[in-house]
Amino acid sequence: MTYAIDRILLSQAEIEARAKEIGEQITEDYAGRNVVFVGILTGSVLWMAQVLKSVALDTQVDFMSLSSYGAATHTSGVVKIIKDLNMSVEGRDVIIVEDIVDSGLTLDYLKKYFAAQNVGSLAICTMLDKPSGRRVAIKADYVGFEVPGEFLVGYGLDVDQRCRNLPYIASVLARDGDDLIQ
Ligand code: IMP
Ligand code: MG
């Protein structure tokens, strides 16, 4: 299967302005505290980097890698830890950074996982929220943008591991016999 960019939903300028707002909001909400940001690989990296630049707090950064999707564009519903935290988060103020909340299964799993680590507090910061895809009730504390129920790529989001580098968020069309058009 090959894919083509359909239409751009969010520009680089829009995403980065929103990341700045959220970084500043987190700075206000966590004033005087030390925060651990946990990025969920790989999709969150561009967004996380952008938000972090506007966070003026004493912070630490860690990453986890989970699998739930495989190569398909629909969730398998199965979440598995591929890479665990490097540091202990017991008693810590943790903010999970995600690219997109779709079914909510990944974050549902992570909330339980972090509760079992006895964190001091837990919040979720996501670039995108796709409420139409929800299968379990999950609400993020910091949401960049609410998006429609289409499959999206760019700014970290992939289709078959491609398109993560696009500096904007776009919908894709699956096409046979064409090259990927960026
Ligand atoms: P959830 O567990 O269904 O909420 O899905 C979370 C993960 O699925 C995200 O971190 C993404 O990696 C992936 N995902 C969900 N929707 C999309 C999409 O539209 N484009 C690319 N990846 C997506
Ligand atoms: Mg992801």
Side-chain angles (χ1 to χ4, degrees):
M1 192 71 86
T2 56
Y3 304 90
I5 299 303
D6 180 20
R7 62 178 218 290
I8 295 176
L9 278 83
L10 295 163
S11 70
Q12 178 170 7
E14 286 175 290
I15 299 164
E16 295 181 359
R18 187 73 184 116
K20 183 168 185 282
E21 280 177 5
I22 289 180
E24 289 169 354
Q25 186 64 53
I26 289 172
T27 302
E28 220 178 286
D29 294 350
Y30 287 82
R33 288 150 79 185
N34 178 297
V35 180
V36 183
F37 286 84
V38 177
I40 308 307
L41 295 170
T42 304
S44 70
V45 291
L46 275 71
W47 170 249
M48 184 163 175
Q50 210 56 43
V51 170
L52 279 176
K53 284 184 262 183
S54 299
V55 173
L57 295 169
D58 186 16
T59 68
Q60 282 162 298
V61 175
D62 204 344
F63 290 96
M64 286 182 78
S65 182
L66 306 164
S67 82
S68 71
Y69 261 48
T73 55
H74 293 284
T75 184
S76 63
V78 179
V79 179
K80 197 171 92 191
I81 295 182
I82 309 287
K83 184 223 165 287
D84 208 339
L85 295 167
N86 289 338
M87 59 188 284
S88 165
V89 288
E90 191 176 343
R92 304 296 306 276
D93 292 318
V94 174
I95 301 180
I96 300 173
V97 184
E98 254 289 30
D99 49 4
I100 183 167
V101 187
D102 183 14
S103 70
L105 291 166
T106 306
L107 282 167
D108 188 50
Y109 174 88
L110 281 173
K111 278 180 86 166
K112 290 175 188 144
Y113 177 81
F114 279 95
Q117 311 288 311
N118 297 313
V119 290
S121 72
L122 185 68
I124 296 164
C125 168
T126 186
M127 176 172 67
L128 305 178
D129 185 8
K130 202 192 269 182
S132 59
R134 219 51 119 252
R135 285 164 58 181
V136 285
I138 285 286
K139 230 175 122 45
D141 304 272
Y142 302 96
V143 176
F145 305 91
E146 204 170 285
V147 290
E150 298 167 75
F151 195 78
L152 305 174
V153 295
Y155 222 89
L157 292 167
D158 72 302
V159 57
D160 289 347
Q161 298 304 326
R162 301 168 75 184
C163 295
R164 292 195 196 275
N165 57 311
L166 298 179
Y168 49 79
I169 303 281
S171 57
V172 283
L173 293 171
R175 309 207 292 209
D176 282 316
D178 282 338
D179 289 330
L180 177 75
I181 302 160
Q182 295 195 359

